[in-house]
Amino acid sequence: MNNNFYTLFLFTLFFLSCNSTSNNAKTEVETPDDELLTSDTINAIKDFHSLSVAGFPSAYVDKARKAIALNAGKHKGVYTAVNYLFEGTSSTYDLQLNTLCELDGESKYRIAINGELLEGIETNPVIFGTDKPDYTPASHIWKNVSLSRGDTIRVESSSETNGKIPENDITAYSRGRFTSLVLQPTK
């Protein structure tokens, strides 16, 4: 009986420790005055409202990688764009764009609010020649962005080549893949 009690005790401890690290869809951050801030994750392939934005080549959904991408076979060295209509609480946010690095080029990313580009163009890190595999996740952050309900958030991504991977008579290009945009309220 003593042995069964000990086994049950260990099982209970294991169960409780596993449940205490469960994953939630929203991330909560404690602030000094105990106000809880919750981030929102905008899924690239489920939540963006338009894959075709005037003045840009259309993006496509890369289902295998759960990402938005640009057809680099047709559009080399240019940006594509997708739109999202912000329906959240008007406030200031840090915007974190989650991307996928590619062996054949280092895509660039921009964000615009209501057609106005935010300061800063972010570039994926070089993974060619490293031990990191194709489609290694990366993220880029734009800090203290004011958003109002009804704003249009435009994410732009480019196809780029690093000249390292031959493809017919040229070299291969990245496709500017990204998977999500996280909006983290700032205080």
Side-chain angles (χ1 to χ4, degrees), residues 17 19 23 26 34 87 105 124 140 149 152 169 172:
S17 68
N19 282 341
N23 217 353
K26 293 194 176 217
D34 294 331
E87 296 173 348
N124 272 349
H140 308 288
R149 188 176 184 85
T152 298
D169 295 336

Side-chain angles (χ1 to χ4, degrees), residues 119-141:
E119 189 174 315
I121 297 173
E122 298 293 328
T123 305
N124 272 349
V126 175
I127 61 168
F128 183 87
T130 71
D131 61 348
K132 294 181 180 173
D134 213 6
Y135 314 119
T136 294
S139 61
H140 308 288
I141 298 176

Side-chain angles (χ1 to χ4, degrees), residues 8-154:
L8 180 61
F9 175 74
L10 288 177
F11 177 77
T12 303
L13 281 177
F14 175 75
F15 178 78
L16 290 174
S17 68
C18 288
N19 282 341
S20 69
T21 59
S22 68
N23 217 353
N24 293 332
K26 293 194 176 217
T27 304
E28 298 175 343
V29 176
E30 293 280 341
T31 59
D33 63 356
D34 294 331
E35 180 184 337
L36 202 56
L37 301 178
T38 304
S39 65
D40 288 318
T41 300
I42 303 164
N43 182 291
I45 62 174
K46 293 179 185 174
D47 298 329
F48 278 84
H49 303 298
S50 173
L51 296 178
S52 182
V53 176
F56 295 91
S58 293
Y60 74 93
V61 173
D62 180 346
K63 291 179 185 175
R65 291 163 197 86
K66 299 178 182 170
I68 298 251
L70 173 62
N71 184 344
K74 294 181 182 177
H75 308 287
K76 294 174 178 23
V78 298
Y79 281 88
T80 188
V82 294
N83 284 333
Y84 175 79
L85 181 63
F86 178 67
E87 296 173 348
T89 303
S90 299
S91 188
T92 303
Y93 295 84
D94 288 344
L95 308 182
Q96 176 182 313
L97 184 65
N98 296 312
T99 68
L100 298 175
C101 299
E102 300 176 57
L103 292 170
D104 42 16
E106 293 70 48
S107 292
K108 298 178 185 324
Y109 299 89
R110 304 184 296 209
I111 294 182
I113 308 300
N114 298 324
E116 296 293 320
L117 282 172
L118 298 178
E119 189 174 315
I121 297 173
E122 298 293 328
T123 305
N124 272 349
V126 175
I127 61 168
F128 183 87
T130 71
D131 61 348
K132 294 181 180 173
D134 213 6
Y135 314 119
T136 294
S139 61
H140 308 288
I141 298 176
W142 288 260
K143 291 200 167 276
N144 298 314
V145 177
S146 293
L147 292 175
S148 297
R149 188 176 184 85
D151 282 351
T152 298
I153 301 172
R154 185 175 71 216

